[in-house]
Amino acid sequence: MNLLNGGEADYVVTGAWSKRSVEDAVAYGKINIAASSEAEKFTNVPAYSSWKLNKNAAYLHICTNETINGVEFDGLPESGDVPIVADMSSHILSRPIDVTQYGVIYGGAQKNIGPAGLCIVIVREDLLGKASPLTPAVFNWKTQAENQSMINTPPTYSIYIAGLVFEWLLAQGGVAAIEKVNIAKANLLYDYIDSTDFYVNNVALKNRSRMNIPFFLKDESLNDAFLKGAEANGLLQLKGHRMVGGMRASIYNAMPIEGVQALISYMQAFESAH
Ligand SMILES: *Cc1c(COP(=O)(O)O)cnc(C)c1O
C-alpha cells in the first residue's frame, strides 16, 4: 500500500513468512518471485547471483530471519537503486544492523521487543509519500511520520513494556553485547546437534538462524516422548511449527544461556535413554 501502488515488486521466498508476504502482496501489484528455496524445503537462502531481479521493481522484499524454518540471511544482496524492504520481526535487536542499507525495516514486537500489538517500521525518508490513495491513514507511513506515529491511539501498554525491554537491553551492554551471547547460545546448540546422529538440523551452515533452531529426531516416533519429557523438565514450546514438524528451539534475547544448557542436558539424557 505504501510503495507499490499498482507497480511491480520483487520478492524472495525463503520460508513461511516471506511466502505469506507474497500471498498478501499480489493484491496490490505485479509480484515477481526473484528467488525461492521452496524446492529445498526452505533450508537455505538461494545464492544472490541466482536472483532474477527486476530493475523497475519498486522494492525488493526479503525476510532476514525466517522464524519457522530457522533460516537467517548472512549479508545482503546487491540491489542497485531498488530499495530493500526487510521483515526483521524475529531477529531485530539480536545483532547490530546497518539501517542505511535498507529502504524499509519492519517487524512485529513480540519476539525481541515486547508484547504483541506493537509494530515497528523504519522508513527511508525519500520513500515516504508514495502510498496508494486507498491507504487508510493509520497504515500510511507519511501520515504516521507527520504525526509522531500517533495518528491513532498507540498501544500504550505495549510501548511501555518495550521501553523496559530497551532499558534491560542497554543494561546488558546493548545490541553488540547481546549479539555475543546470541552467538554463544546458538553455537552451543548447533554444535551439540551436529555432534550426534540422534538429532539433525537441515539448514545450510551459513544460513542457520541464531534465534530459531529447528531440529528433528532421527526416529520421529519418539517425538511425543521427547516433548513430554521436555515439559516435565520445564522446557516448554519446543514443538516445531506444523508446516515443518519436528522441534524448534526459539532462543530470543530473553533466553539466557542457562536455558540452552538445560535444553542440551535434557537432549543428552533423552538420547542416552533411547
Ligand atoms: C512472528 C512473525 C510475523 C507475524 O507477526 P504477527 O504479528 O503474528 O502477524 C511476521 N514475520 C516474521 C518473520 C515473524 O517472525
Side-chain angles (χ1 to χ4, degrees):
M1 285 190 287
N2 279 279
L3 297 173
L4 201 47
N5 208 351
E8 306 174 40
D10 282 345
Y11 277 67
V12 173
V13 183
T14 51
W17 287 113
S18 50
K19 190 175 174 182
R20 239 188 221 182
S21 295
V22 172
E23 286 165 13
D24 267 349
V26 291
Y28 298 90
K30 186 170 172 287
I31 303 304
N32 163 44
I33 306 297
S36 170
S37 60
E38 188 159 17
E40 292 93 57
K41 295 189 171 162
F42 299 131
T43 49
N44 63 55
V45 176
Y48 298 149
S49 56
S50 71
W51 292 17
K52 295 190 168 51
L53 296 176
N54 169 10
K55 278 195 191 65
N56 299 318
Y59 59 88
L60 164 63
H61 182 281
I62 57 176
C63 175
T64 43
N65 186 66
E66 288 281 2
T67 322
I68 291 172
N69 310 84
V71 172
E72 190 165 6
F73 275 60
D74 68 324
L76 279 184
E78 184 49 64
S79 65
D81 291 335
V82 176
I84 294 177
V85 174
D87 175 357
M88 291 195 186
S89 298
S90 54
H91 75 160
I92 195 163
L93 297 186
S94 72
R95 59 200 297 160
I97 47 165
D98 176 3
V99 294
T100 66
Q101 293 184 300
Y102 298 86
V104 178
I105 292 169
Y106 73 93
Q110 66 266 35
K111 278 81 182 213
N112 269 339
I113 294 175
L118 180 65
C119 158
I120 289 189
V121 186
I122 304 169
V123 188
R124 214 173 66 198
E125 280 178 345
D126 66 287
L127 296 175
L128 296 172
K130 294 177 182 287
S132 143
L134 294 175
T135 309
V138 71
F139 294 140
N140 188 312
W141 298 336
K142 182 161 188 278
T143 317
Q144 284 288 10
E146 285 167 356
N147 290 275
Q148 292 75 48
S149 302
M150 291 185 286
I151 185 84
N152 58 320
T153 308
T156 51
Y157 186 73
S158 296
I159 291 172
Y160 171 71
I161 299 291
L164 297 181
V165 174
F166 297 148
E167 283 172 18
W168 171 83
L169 183 52
L170 287 170
Q172 312 299 306
V175 171
I178 207 89
E179 179 186 37
K180 294 202 178 82
V181 180
N182 287 331
I183 291 172
K185 278 153 50 182
N187 283 348
L188 210 57
L189 188 48
Y190 284 120
D191 285 351
Y192 171 62
I193 291 169
D194 289 345
S195 74
T196 159
D197 290 335
F198 196 82
Y199 304 101
V200 62
N201 167 285
N202 295 320
V203 178
L205 289 185
K206 68 181 173 58
N207 297 127
R208 283 176 160 187
S209 169
R210 291 177 187 165
M211 294 283 99
N212 310 99
I213 304 187
F215 61 90
F216 297 89
L217 276 66
K218 266 283 159 63
D219 177 1
E220 297 231 270
S221 71
L222 293 172
N223 281 1
D224 287 346
F226 180 88
L227 287 166
K228 222 174 140 205
E231 230 174 279
N233 282 276
L235 299 159
L236 309 179
Q237 302 289 345
L238 282 166
K239 193 176 171 143
H241 192 280
R242 63 193 142 71
M243 287 174 64
V244 176
M247 310 296 154
R248 178 175 47 141
S250 284
I251 51 174
Y252 296 116
N253 284 356
M255 175 61 69
I257 196 152
E258 291 80 6
V260 178
Q261 288 161 343
L263 172 60
I264 293 170
S265 297
Y266 169 69
M267 289 169 75
Q268 284 167 331
F270 188 84
E271 177 176 355
S272 305
H274 294 88

